[in-house]
Amino acid sequence: MLRILSSGVLTSGILTSGLMVVTLSAFAIAPAQAQTRIDYQLSMLNVPSYSMGNSQLNPADIASLAYQGLLKDQGIPSYAALSNAYAGGSLTAKDVINAAIAAQRISSAALEDSAFVNAVDSQLRTLLPD
């Protein structure tokens, strides 16, 4: 049953508005929490970010660039093709890092850091289908 409050607002409208705010808040918070969790996990590994200019990319960023096809010009396949190439052994974390270096996304120092290479490798493994 709808009731009009003294302010002239329907009570069901307040309920609907409240549910909309809660729903929208959940969508806005989830990505931020996911990114924070990834950053925290990488910080626990003591994996540095390597910068080119003002941007800093971590291993999760590098894997994401590859997965989204942003390293295709450097010969890295995207999406399922990336997962298949990695699973089949024809693509390695070093290949992806080299592509990111060629695309001027990170510095060449990243390739020399075994912790960074291992973290990119770990991120690529997460792309494999279960």
Side-chain angles (χ1 to χ4, degrees):
M1 177 168 136
L2 298 176
R3 272 195 256 174
I4 298 177
L5 299 176
S6 60
S7 64
V9 177
L10 293 174
T11 56
S12 67
I14 293 172
L15 180 61
T16 303
S17 297
L19 289 174
M20 252 172 50
V21 169
V22 169
T23 303
L24 291 174
S25 296
F27 286 118
I29 293 170
Q33 288 175 340
Q35 186 60 41
T36 302
R37 185 173 46 246
I38 291 169
D39 291 341
Y40 174 75
Q41 289 170 341
L42 290 173
S43 72
M44 294 304 291
L45 293 171
N46 291 324
V47 175
S49 296
Y50 290 89
S51 65
M52 290 288 288
N54 292 333
S55 64
Q56 290 188 350
L57 298 178
N58 61 40
D61 296 331
I62 301 301
S64 180
L65 286 174
Y67 186 76
Q68 293 173 26
L70 298 174
L71 298 176
K72 271 192 171 184
D73 290 345
Q74 289 72 33
I76 302 298
S78 60
Y79 302 106
L82 173 72
S83 295
N84 292 335
Y86 178 78
S90 63
L91 180 78
T92 67
K94 285 188 175 188
D95 296 330
V96 173
I97 293 169
N98 275 322
I101 292 167
Q104 298 183 347
R105 300 292 187 131
I106 58 174
S107 74
S108 59
L111 195 56
E112 304 304 319
D113 186 337
S114 61
F116 190 86
V117 173
N118 290 337
V120 171
D121 190 55
S122 177
Q123 289 298 316
L124 290 170
R125 263 184 270 138
T126 66
L127 302 176
L128 298 175
D130 292 333

